[in-house]
Amino acid sequence: MQHKTIGLLGGIGWASTLEYYRLLNEMLVARIGPAHSARIMLVSMDQADFVAHAAQADSRAIEQFLVTQGQRLQGMGADFFLLCANGAHRFAPAVVPRIGLPFISIVEETAKRVQQSGVRKVGLLGVKQTMAGCFYHDALEQLGIATVTPDAADQEILHDIIYTELVQNIFTDASRNIFLDIIEKLRRQGVQGVILGCTEIPLLVKPGDIDLPLFSTTAIHCEAAVAFALEE
């Protein structure tokens, strides 16, 4: 069976990019059979390069950096592409039109999934740029969904764990308990579900850890990519 070649712009961080490769193959094989595997082109960025460009005052630096990486995928023959990180999607509006490939947005796909679930007030976890930014909030608001984020102190704690542990493929019970405690705080604020808005968080926090709907942005993104690859 013919299926499109998936382009992955990954490496930020590598642990979740590895999870993308696994999920995409498992999901595609489940649809079309074990004789197949996913056609994937991967450009894996150095996390330090991404962070250095993103830290510059002029946003054109990080935008041009991402455009250059995306154009590499286009040159390799990808039919469409995914940006394998939630926080980097804040640059998508300026970057995607310059790459020239169809794009599957983790933000748009997650917002649709939350809407389909019936949740109308959702918690959002991620790096500070995701929690404090507007790109998720705006997408959810357009679908009639209110977004609640942790307070500033808890945002700092989550951001630090993500960058010092999760992106390095380090997962501890202590950090899991911190995440679960913060989710409990959001529950007390009336959230009906929680978006795991960093592609590494689903590697730490699992649905069985808490009795609230958890939206794994990594899995949602991969499901949308496989559907697009198979023209479903």
Side-chain angles (χ1 to χ4, degrees):
M1 180 178 180
Q2 289 298 311
H3 48 93
K4 294 184 177 74
T5 298
I6 304 166
L8 299 180
L9 196 50
I12 49 174
W14 68 263
S16 61
T17 301
L18 177 65
E19 185 73 352
Y20 267 87
Y21 188 82
R22 182 184 70 82
L23 287 173
L24 287 168
N25 276 285
E26 288 182 354
M27 291 174 180
L28 184 132
V29 166
R31 301 281 187 91
I32 62 175
H36 296 275
S37 55
R39 295 189 177 101
I40 294 174
M41 300 291 185
L42 169 62
V43 169
S44 188
M45 299 174 282
D46 184 337
Q47 175 113 8
D49 290 341
F50 173 84
V51 171
H53 284 87
Q56 295 188 33
D58 189 341
S59 63
R60 288 176 295 183
I62 183 60
E63 291 164 6
Q64 183 56 53
F65 173 74
L66 290 172
V67 168
T68 300
Q69 306 309 308
Q71 288 173 341
R72 292 176 63 194
L73 282 175
Q74 184 183 37
M76 291 161 63
D79 292 313
F80 66 102
F81 81 106
L82 285 66
L83 184 52
C84 303
N86 283 274
H89 274 68
R90 66 191 186 275
F91 305 115
V95 168
V96 171
R98 297 166 59 192
I99 291 177
L101 288 174
F103 176 66
I104 307 295
S105 166
I106 199 170
V107 177
E108 293 175 6
E109 295 299 330
T110 299
K112 287 190 292 186
R113 184 66 61 85
V114 175
Q115 181 189 42
Q116 291 164 1
S117 75
V119 166
R120 288 296 172 262
K121 188 174 185 180
V122 70
L124 174 64
L125 306 182
V127 297
K128 285 190 295 186
Q129 293 88 344
T130 298
M131 293 182 286
C134 62
F135 56 100
Y136 254 110
H137 298 66
D138 290 348
L140 290 159
E141 185 179 12
Q142 289 175 11
L143 299 178
I145 300 162
T147 306
V148 180
T149 54
D151 62 29
D154 283 343
Q155 287 190 25
E156 289 284 351
I157 291 168
L158 296 180
H159 184 88
D160 183 63
I161 291 173
I162 289 167
Y163 270 104
T164 61
E165 298 180 18
L166 306 192
V167 299
Q168 304 299 327
N169 208 35
I170 298 169
F171 307 101
T172 68
D173 290 338
S175 291
R176 181 179 299 105
N177 289 334
I178 290 171
F179 270 80
L180 294 176
D181 286 344
I182 291 172
I183 291 173
E184 282 295 343
K185 293 181 185 178
L186 296 178
R187 188 210 296 267
R188 292 196 291 272
Q189 296 178 59
V191 305
Q192 302 162 311
V194 176
I195 295 171
L196 305 183
C198 167
T199 52
E200 283 81 25
I201 298 176
L203 295 169
L204 177 71
V205 179
K206 308 292 184 180
D209 293 333
I210 195 164
D211 60 343
L212 265 181
L214 298 177
F215 298 93
S216 167
T217 53
T218 315
I220 292 167
H221 208 194
C222 289
E223 288 167 5
V226 169
F228 192 87
L230 295 175
E231 299 183 318
E232 294 181 350

